[in-house]
Amino acid sequence: MPTEALYADVAVPVHVFQTFSYRIPTSLHDLAQPGARIVVPLGRRQVTGYIVAIQTTSSRDASIDDAAVKEATEILDSIPVLTPELLELTRWVSEYYGAPWGEVIKAALPPGISPSIEQFVTLTEVGRAALQHETDPATAEPLMRLISSGEIHSVEALSKSLGRTQALKAVREFERAGMLKRVFRPSTTYVRAKRQRAVRLVSRGEDAEKSAIVRFTPGQQRILDQLKQSPSLALQALLVAADVGASTVNTLERRGLIEFFEQDLRRDPLGGESLPAAENYQLTTDQTAVLTAIEEPLRKQTYAAFLLHGVTGSGKTEVYIRAMRLALELGRSALMLVPEIAMTPVFSRRLRAHFGDRVAIFHSSLSRGERFDEWTRVRNGEARIVIGTRSAVFAPVENLGLVVVDEEHESSYRQQDSPQYNGRDTAIVRAQKAGAVVVLGSATPSLESFHNARTGKYQYLPLPRRIANRPMATARLIDMREVFDEQKKPQIFANELLRAIEETAAKGEQSIVLLNRRGYSSFVLCRSCGETIQCPNCDVTLTYHRSERVIVCHYCNHREAAPSQCPSCDGKYIYYIGEGTEQIEELLQKRFPALRIARIDRDTVSRRKSFEQTLQEFSEGRIDMLVGTQMLAKGHDYPNVTLVGVVSVDTGLALPDFRAAERTFQLITQVAGRAGRGELAGKVLIQTYHPSHYALRHASAQDYQGFYDEEIRHRQNLGYPPFVSLASLLIRGPELSRVRADALTLRKELDQANTERMSRVLGPAPAPLARLKGEHRYQLLIKSRSRKQLRALADQAIRAAVESGVNARSLNLEIDPVSVM
């Protein structure tokens, strides 16, 4: 009986919103499973895609022309890399956020796991005959000479020999003449398991050792003793432990007493690092009540969503750990998301101290090899607890029982590049699909989450007191207008803050100074002509970084040398205006030369080991002060920190975003929570020119309820989330006139589709950042009380606009945007 034909529905990691059907060769039928990687032709190239469904001739759409269906090239996996649960989750992300399914799947897998496809060429019989008839080798085409051996040659290698343009042109010409044939193969450079040579005893080795006839040198005996203590050892580790050379090991191998073999080498993100002791604290009454509420649905294996609203220092992490331990005891797994890479080292070490190698770590600062190994351990069931940043929501955890989203309010859970998903909301959906418990934790919940708790969508769990009833740090607003009146000029630091730093240092205590702006100076100004140096690609000024003597765009990373004269008028009066963390660090070091000061911001995080070492030294008291951005504001627990200074919060309040006040409140409350977490009382000093702003008043009082009551009224009056669903439509492109015209076309289609006026459309208008990365940007906002209607309206209008000639790749739809910048 002939085998029924199989077809694969394939999602490819390019910006297209459809899957493609491919015929699977009979030889690959056994490998064809949903979730496996597959190499398929797409246009003139080959790509690595992902099988999302398998169909037979009888089950597939009969209207599809079978003759037009291309054949798949290769299937890369015998065991699919995507579980059915993750396939379903990525499909939901694709549909909800309007993101290409293939791009979502690619984001769900560790980077580098899917190989690129390399092109090779080889001579055909026609080509070989043509080369043999060439009597004068000097006149033969150089490309033909290079591949005359008949072996397959990489097009990339030929390009290096002949020049890319000449090589590609010649390949096309000879291919059309039938003299060459292209072959596509997966690259050999994609990330995979690392192997190492290891040694183990042969079973008869112990019998031979017992025999009186056998004699061993001292070095050989040390090798055997080491191997009796461990089932196997890496060869290099054995040589060091036994203090012998390779020849001694080779001798025992030749005598049949030991054997060599290959084993996987784990690239551990915390390899060799010391771990803190696992402490089991006595739970407070509040913690016990919270844990009891979480335990009930966890034992019943039913979905439940909790908002854990605990003030800073109330012991939320201990609740997470106890819940994870219960999940493991019940035979289930746990997933913990944190918003910043900066928070993973501390949490990872603490979880490892409790759960050992059952903890896997996921974040973007790991090497590709480390991420691949951690992903593999989770996929194989070796690690049952995962901690990481937003992409860890796609970790291949089996039998998920508990999901924790720490600092759930953080906007960094939102992926800003395609696919634009929210890690927090995706985690909630994953827990719902898995019948798991999800705990959203924060001292300053997002207004949407707190509103959901107030309306019963989430169960509300309060932790209103700090551990041991320690008092919250006292906070005071410093009115910088009064400081200006006293000093008759702008000041970076108020005298009150400088005195507090001095007093804190004199008592042997530590301090944190926060300025949410990195670099040395905000912009470069020519005093002669008044020009500021702008980014050539974006509508922003370039930030001066003194350590590298460069000016940098923090949006597109354009960099150029710091100028010695004005590029507009050649004037020599160049001034650097505004402060960044780099300058704050320098000024404080000059003012307090005896203090050991370190800086934590996005620039220092790029050097992972240095960054983690800085936090460790601060924890151990070898650094007196940390200066940094919002990365310092959350998750860190340093009992000796008694002073927090906030240099400026006014920039955040002035942003053209409806969440500006909420973010400022959260930032101040969170950073204030770093002070007074031990036995010593804490103090927070906040410098501002707007001390009467309600966000600052409530933050200094650490009054979340008061801020919520005031902010929620503004949201309701103005029609913003959580009272409406929101979508942002961004049109971008290199030509301003075309972008403006496309934006007007889209607005027209939105108005025509919005016949019942169930939604409100705002715009088009230039985006707050009207030019970014060389592209002009126009924006429209859609507000609707029905998310379903909002999505239907946006989809219908986008389809109609594309049919009218708008370039689909210039449109970006963002559902539930966390920022309208």
Side-chain angles (χ1 to χ4, degrees), residues 528-547:
S528 297
C529 67
E531 284 293 315
T532 58
I533 301 182
Q534 300 276 327
C535 173
N537 307 313
C538 310
D539 274 345
V540 295
T541 55
L542 295 177
T543 302
Y544 177 48
H545 287 248
R546 187 169 180 174
S547 60

Side-chain angles (χ1 to χ4, degrees), residues 139 226 242 251 281 297 329 441 494 504 511 590 671 695 697 710:
T139 63
Q226 288 289 334
T251 300
Y281 300 98
E329 290 172 0
T504 302
S511 55
K590 287 180 180 177
V671 77
R697 284 190 289 101
E710 197 158 347

Side-chain angles (χ1 to χ4, degrees), residues 756-808:
E756 299 180 5
R757 297 295 182 263
M758 299 293 292
S759 302
R760 186 183 178 195
V761 180
L762 304 177
L769 285 172
R771 188 163 173 267
L772 193 65
K773 299 181 181 178
E775 293 184 320
H776 298 279
R777 295 154 32 102
Y778 263 65
Q779 186 180 53
L780 297 102
L781 292 178
I782 309 174
K783 297 178 179 181
S784 177
R785 295 194 178 277
S786 167
R787 183 174 281 106
K788 183 179 180 180
Q789 289 175 347
L790 177 145
R791 184 59 192 276
L793 171 63
D795 289 347
Q796 182 179 341
I798 289 172
R799 281 196 301 270
V802 170
E803 290 172 2
S804 298
V806 175
N807 183 357

Side-chain angles (χ1 to χ4, degrees), residues 376-411:
T376 302
R377 291 198 314 119
V378 175
R379 185 72 177 87
N380 294 340
E382 299 168 27
R384 292 173 52 205
I385 293 177
V386 172
I387 177 172
T389 47
R390 61 175 174 262
S391 61
V393 73
F394 298 114
V397 184
E398 295 283 358
N399 197 16
L400 187 62
L402 175 70
V403 178
V404 173
V405 184
D406 193 41
E407 309 293 357
E408 64 84 28
H409 64 276
E410 278 295 322
S411 60

